[in-house]
Structures are given as structure tokens and as C-alpha cells.
Amino acid sequence: MTTHQSHSHYLILCPLGLESVMEHAIASALRDFYGEDQDDSRRSTKISRIFPTHSTIKLQEMQAKVASRREKSRTKRSATCPSDRSTHIVVGPSNDGSETFVGEYRGKVVMAWPGATEMGLLLVTTAAPAETMTKIRLVGPILALVCFRQDMFDATMQADDVVDAIAGMENDEDVIQGYRRALCLWSRHARLWEEQFRCPDVKVDALESKVLGEAGLTFRASCIRNRKGKNKQFKGPDLYSAIGSSVPANRMAGRPLIDVEDDIEDNKIRDISWKVNLSSYDFEVVGFVMDTHFVLAVSLLPHRKMNSVDFSKGTMPSDITLPFLTQKSDVIRLRPSTASLLLHLAKPDVGDVLVDVCAGIGTLPVEAHLTNGGVLGIGGDLALDVTGPLHGLAAQYLTAVRSWRETSSCRGASDLHRWDATMLPLRDATADIIVSDLPFGQRCMSAYKLAQFVPLLVVEIARILKPGGRAVLLGGSYQTTLNALHSVGEHVFHPCDSIFPVNIGGLLAYIIEVRRSDGTPFLSNYKERVHRMTARRELLRKHETAAQKRQVQVTTMGKTEKKGIEKSKSKGSRNSNGTKSEKEKKARMVASILT
């Protein structure tokens, strides 16, 4: 039985569209913490959505629109093709003049829209200790809530009025008490940083003296504004200064943070001050201007000490969950927290074989065996070649995984290979679950190549997936994936369980849940198909090599001609200079004779 303690208020950031999945996943993780006493779990944990807060009327209107569109599409399909087993899920733009897209997650309407500063904010009120919250791998950026002001701003307020309203929170007693609770929670998490992140920059003794009020703390202020919050022409320094001025440094400096929720007047007050430090700070205060709402919170993660991106960029910071890559790279990889959410959708069981056909550096297979004990995660990617862009980063990541796994108690295993996703080196009916982050068709692959790639990929998914197996696919275009699923055959896949939009790194993407039908034979001529595709790709590779050689020759000839022209110009200039000097000599000689 767990001893009761005061409730903590956490602010958790999650991608838009995955709020419902995150709520269920956190509740499940905390329920496991409380054990069989589920009544205690329900009483001690409350999860609510701060943003986006869709009104009940708007959700009812959207539900009615979705039901109407679903009925119209069902009637049209039954009239044209009665045997069509396509999905009845309505997905696409909301058609209300905004950039909102809708979909369905297991019967619930989900709305999302693009934007790098658009995100979901969840408030988790729980009595679980800090050690428990740090072990939930699907939680990415996590903060301690200071205050939440709903509809704090209106359309008539100017930018200066908004800044003044935020700066005026300095003398608000509710805000001061919120800072005391938030910094008390921060001190509990800060004491776990050395063990949790194994960061050499975390000085335990110095941090402990600051927590006890024996030394001054340093802090910085940051701000995140979504698209509607950016409509007002704020000046960045003024906004950051207003958020920083809300910190009650004069009233809290010199007092121990860990006991700040007790009788604070009895604590010893020392002559110590807190200072602002933008580069080397102890805690970061973050203000969220989301539409007309304002949220104030304190970050509970040492982003800067881990050499990672913090909130100073004005977007969602990086995940620093171990095993963490400290090397900054231009390679785009899936967040470990987002990978854990995809795995929560798939629900792998002990002994399952989970395959990621486009694994990148292997985030999904690694998270599969770290999050779910007893799961074998297998992944591969064509870019994992020795000369490929992912090889060095993947090697560093897997080295960090091995060193971290030696000191952890995970029972699963993962493996990473170099393979072509359209010709997987796996036997038929091998995988129990397939979870994959497909190319979006923007950076690593064009839209034209993606339209050719996805049908071949779905054919391989249908081949290696066991009868009744599940697939969770994240991609940039749901229509391309749906067309590919329908093209493999009428009775190969069941109708999709869910298709809903999500915001991944500011881009609009879609998650599709689908199940393989039972006992349907597929692709008996697999080896012949592989031989034909291999021969065709070898021919294309030869043509590309020849084209590259011709390009090099043309470039070399162009450079040679350019050098020749430059040499002739320089020689001409030298000749002209020489001619000019000879004329000057003759002129001087004539002048000397005449004199």
C-alpha cells in the first residue's frame, strides 16, 4: 500500500491529435504504480486537458458533421459497389474555413492542425512520487504547473496590455503560492537528475545547497506562442521580461525549497538573491500564450545541462529520455515519447515480434523492448549503409542503448538491420505487430517517389504480418496509404480501426490502425518478384551511375574551359602591363636626350 502524500500538478506537452492516447497511457501507467487498488488510483490521479479545449457544442457539431458525411459515403458506396469493404471512417479537412483536420480514433472525433508551436497541454494531478513520473517513457517535456488563466486575453487587447497583464502577476498571491508548489516539485526532480540522466554537469552538492536555500538560484524565462497567440505584435524581450518578473525571487530567496509547502514563516531566511542567467541556469520558467489562454510553468528537465534544445527556441524542446543522443544533427528522428505512444496504440504483448520497416536509427524497436518487457523489436532502413546518412548516428545511438541497458532491468531485445523495405529479408507471417514511421514525402522522399514506394511497402507488410496481426502506420498522406491497402486485395486487411490527424514536428500527419485478415494466402511468387525488382533496380543504378559520370565530365570540361579563359585574361593583362612599361621607358629616354 502506497503512503499518501500531497498532490503534485504536472503540465505535460504532447503532439496535437494524441491527447486522448496520452491521457489513457498516463492513467494506465499510474494505475500500474498503485497496483490492484484501482479505487486509490482514480481518487489520487486526475488528468484534464488544458489546451486545446474544444467546447461541448463544437464537439457535438463536429460529431454530427462526421456522422452525416459517413452516412453519405456509406450510401454512395453501397449504390456503386455493394461488396466494397472500405472503411467508413470520415477523415480530412473540417471545411469550416480553418486549417483544422478531423479524423476518428476508435469512434472518437480527433482534430489537429499544422504548426511548429501547436501542441496539446495536459494537466496531471497525482500523488505519485517524482520517481514514478520520471519512469513513464511516453512522457516527453514535463513541467510543474504554476497557474492557468483561461481567457486571460481578448481580441481587443493590445500587445502592451498583454505584457502588462503578465507582469502584474508578480503580486498575485495565487501565483506566488503556485511558484512555491512548483519549485518544491522542481527540487524533488532535481535531486533525481544525477541518477536519472547520468549528467556530469549536475553538481549534487551545489544543487543540494541551492535546494536548501544556502545558495542563490539562477533562472531564465522563455515563452511559447501558438499561431493565434502570435497575432499580437509582441516584442520578445518585453514578453520574456514580464514572465521573468513574475518569479517571486525576493520572497523565496534564502528559504529551503523542499519544505516550502510547510510553514514558510518558520524557515530561516538568509541574505541570498536569485539572478537571471540565460545560458547557465538552474530552472527555466515557461509561459504559454495559447489563443486567449495563459499557462505558467517551471520545467522539470535539465535540457541545457544535457546539451539539448530547451524552450528558448519558442517550440517544444527535445526529448532527453535515456538513452539520449547528445550529438546535434540535422537528421530528423522520431521522438522517443511519440514512439512510445505509437507502441501504446499497438499494445504488444510478451513474446510478440514487432517490426519497423522504416526504422531510421531504430527508435521504435528500441522503445519496444524498453517499454514492453519480453518484446523482440526488429527494424531496418536502407539509409543504414556505411556511406549512408544514418550510419554514424545509429551506431552512436545503439552504443548508448547497450550501455544504458546494462544497468537497467529490461527483459526485451531489439535488432537493427540494413534492408530495403520493399524487399524485406523476413519469412512470411513473421511479425505479430508492425509499427512504422513512414516517409512524409517532404525531405527524404518526394511525393512522386512516395506514391510508388508505399504500394510496394504495403505488399511486404501484408506478406510478413501474421493472420490477425496489427499494424500502426504513421505517414504524411493517409490517402496514399489507404489506396495501397485497398490495392493488395479485398480480403487481405480488415477495414481500418482508426484514421486520425496528428501534428508531428509542426507537420500534419496521419495515424492508421489496421488489422490483417485471418488465413488469407498472399504472394506465392515472392522470390520471382524479388528477382525482377532486383534486376530492374540494378539497371536503374547503372543508368544513374552513367548519368553521374557524364555530369562530372561536363562539369570538369566547364571548369577547364573557365580556367583557360582566366589564364588567357591574366596573360593579356600581363602583356598589356608589359607594353605599357616599355612605352614609359622610351618616353623617359626621349625626355633625357632632349634635356
Side-chain angles (χ1 to χ4, degrees):
M1 182 67 182
T2 307
T3 58
H4 290 278
Q5 57 175 321
S6 59
H7 286 68
S8 302
H9 304 282
Y10 290 94
L11 182 69
I12 295 178
L13 312 186
C14 71
L16 271 182
L18 287 171
E19 298 93 344
S20 298
V21 182
M22 177 74 85
E23 290 175 9
H24 184 270
I26 294 176
S28 177
L30 293 177
R31 192 179 302 116
D32 294 339
F33 161 72
Y34 286 105
E36 298 179 356
D37 193 358
Q38 296 187 6
D39 293 336
D40 190 12
S41 173
R42 294 192 185 99
R43 186 171 61 250
S44 300
T45 302
K46 181 180 178 181
I47 303 176
S48 57
R49 192 177 306 182
I50 291 182
F51 183 84
T53 53
H54 304 297
S55 64
T56 306
I57 299 176
K58 184 175 181 179
L59 283 177
Q60 289 176 353
E61 292 177 353
M62 194 62 65
Q63 291 275 12
K65 288 182 180 180
V66 168
S68 176
R69 290 166 62 181
R70 186 191 297 114
E71 186 63 29
K72 289 180 180 179
S73 62
R74 184 186 293 112
T75 305
K76 183 178 179 180
R77 276 194 295 267
S78 61
T80 57
C81 184
S83 61
D84 188 9
R85 301 177 66 255
S86 301
T87 177
H88 300 299
I89 294 177
V90 176
V91 59
S94 60
N95 297 329
D96 59 354
S98 65
E99 295 185 357
T100 304
F101 290 76
V102 299
E104 293 185 50
Y105 163 60
R106 300 176 184 176
K108 298 179 180 179
V109 174
V110 176
M111 291 181 279
W113 49 92
T117 58
E118 306 291 343
M119 64 195 71
L121 306 181
L122 299 181
L123 172 60
V124 179
T125 303
T126 178
E131 294 85 348
T132 301
M133 296 299 297
T134 57
K135 293 178 181 178
I136 304 177
R137 296 190 61 83
L138 51 85
V139 173
I142 182 172
L143 304 93
L145 181 69
V146 175
C147 69
F148 168 53
R149 297 294 171 85
Q150 191 172 4
D151 296 326
M152 182 175 175
F153 317 121
D154 55 43
T156 61
M157 294 181 66
Q158 300 297 323
D160 294 338
D161 298 333
V162 174
V163 172
D164 293 340
I166 297 175
M169 301 172 68
E170 179 181 4
N171 299 321
D172 193 327
E173 287 297 328
D174 293 337
V175 176
I176 294 174
Q177 292 298 327
Y179 267 112
R180 289 172 177 171
R181 291 190 298 266
L183 289 174
C184 179
L185 184 58
W186 172 85
S187 62
R188 294 173 188 164
H189 281 262
R191 287 178 165 181
L192 303 173
W193 284 352
E194 183 186 24
E195 180 183 356
Q196 179 185 359
F197 298 104
R198 304 170 188 173
C199 179
D201 292 341
V202 177
K203 309 299 182 183
V204 181
D205 296 338
L207 185 62
E208 187 68 18
S209 63
K210 293 179 179 181
V211 169
L212 296 177
E214 299 172 356
L217 287 166
T218 57
F219 65 95
R220 68 158 293 153
S222 301
C223 183
I224 292 181
R225 292 178 287 160
N226 69 343
R227 187 170 301 178
K228 291 184 179 180
K230 290 182 178 180
N231 290 339
K232 301 181 184 301
Q233 300 299 321
F234 292 105
K235 292 182 179 179
D238 295 341
L239 190 59
Y240 295 158
S241 177
I243 295 174
S245 64
S246 66
V247 179
N250 296 331
R251 299 182 62 172
M252 297 187 64
R255 297 172 175 173
L257 297 179
I258 202 66
D259 298 322
V260 77
E261 290 183 328
D262 298 334
D263 190 5
I264 191 168
E265 300 299 333
D266 295 338
N267 293 325
K268 182 180 179 181
I269 302 177
R270 302 173 179 86
D271 187 13
I272 294 173
S273 61
W274 292 1
K275 297 181 180 179
V276 175
N277 193 322
L278 302 182
S279 58
S280 179
Y281 53 84
D282 295 313
F283 67 91
E284 185 176 15
V285 181
V286 187
F288 296 87
V289 181
M290 314 300 283
D291 293 356
T292 60
H293 314 309
F294 182 70
V295 184
L296 197 60
V298 176
S299 177
L300 299 178
L301 299 177
H303 289 100
R304 187 56 61 92
K305 296 181 184 299
M306 295 289 289
N307 193 25
S308 176
V309 178
D310 55 11
F311 288 91
S312 60
K313 300 293 183 181
T315 57
M316 186 184 296
S318 304
D319 282 2
I320 58 174
T321 306
L322 292 180
F324 170 70
L325 286 177
T326 56
Q327 178 183 357
K328 296 182 179 179
S329 174
D330 295 333
V331 176
I332 297 178
R333 60 185 289 252
L334 191 65
R335 287 175 174 268
S337 57
T338 306
S340 297
L341 288 173
L342 295 177
L343 293 170
H344 180 77
L345 286 172
K347 287 183 170 51
D349 201 358
V350 177
D352 282 349
V353 177
L354 186 143
V355 177
D356 182 4
V357 292
C358 301
I361 65 172
T363 304
L364 270 167
V366 168
E367 288 296 320
H369 91 261
L370 294 180
T371 309
N372 306 273
V375 174
L376 173 61
I378 302 175
D381 204 292
L382 192 61
L384 289 174
D385 192 7
V386 178
T387 59
L390 299 181
H391 181 267
L393 196 64
Q396 180 188 0
Y397 179 59
L398 294 180
T399 302
V401 170
R402 293 189 190 98
S403 61
W404 185 82
R405 189 168 53 184
E406 291 176 356
T407 58
S408 62
S409 58
C410 57
R411 298 175 296 162
S414 59
D415 201 3
L416 193 62
H417 303 270
R418 179 190 177 273
W419 65 34
D420 187 342
T422 61
M423 296 184 292
L424 296 173
L426 299 173
R427 294 180 178 179
D428 298 353
T430 301
D432 298 284
I433 298 173
I434 291 180
V435 182
S436 189
D437 176 17
L438 306 182
F440 283 19
Q442 297 196 17
R443 290 196 61 173
C444 62
M445 191 177 291
S446 64
Y448 174 73
K449 290 183 178 180
L450 186 66
Q452 295 179 319
F453 169 75
V454 173
L456 300 175
L457 174 68
V458 171
V459 168
E460 284 295 270
I461 290 176
R463 183 183 65 83
I464 68 171
L465 197 58
K466 291 181 179 179
R470 305 179 300 280
V472 178
L473 305 177
L474 170 65
S477 172
Y478 71 92
Q479 196 61 55
T480 303
T481 308
L482 282 182
N483 293 338
L485 291 172
H486 296 161
S487 66
V488 296
E490 183 179 353
H491 301 286
V492 177
F493 290 102
H494 290 292
C496 295
D497 299 326
S498 301
I499 307 175
F500 58 97
V502 292
N503 184 317
I504 303 295
L507 302 176
L508 188 70
Y510 289 87
I511 294 177
I512 297 178
E513 289 185 290
V514 67
R515 290 177 293 118
R516 182 76 160 84
S517 60
D518 297 334
T520 306
F522 192 72
L523 283 181
S524 58
N525 59 341
Y526 169 69
K527 291 185 178 180
E528 297 178 5
R529 172 178 170 273
V530 170
H531 289 316
R532 288 198 305 270
M533 291 186 63
T534 304
R536 182 173 178 271
R537 294 193 175 189
E538 187 64 28
L539 183 62
L540 290 175
R541 192 178 292 110
K542 289 182 180 179
H543 285 301
E544 290 179 356
T545 304
Q548 290 176 358
K549 287 183 179 180
R550 287 195 298 270
Q551 184 68 25
V552 170
Q553 290 176 358
V554 171
T555 305
T556 306
M557 291 175 62
K559 290 182 179 179
T560 304
E561 293 177 359
K562 188 176 181 181
K563 287 182 179 179
I565 294 172
E566 291 177 353
K567 285 183 179 180
S568 62
K569 287 183 178 179
S570 61
K571 186 180 293 185
S573 63
R574 285 198 301 270
N575 292 338
S576 61
N577 292 336
T579 305
K580 185 177 180 181
S581 61
E582 290 178 0
K583 289 182 179 179
E584 291 177 353
K585 286 182 180 180
K586 289 182 180 180
R588 283 196 298 269
M589 289 176 62
V590 172
S592 62
I593 292 172
L594 292 176
T595 55

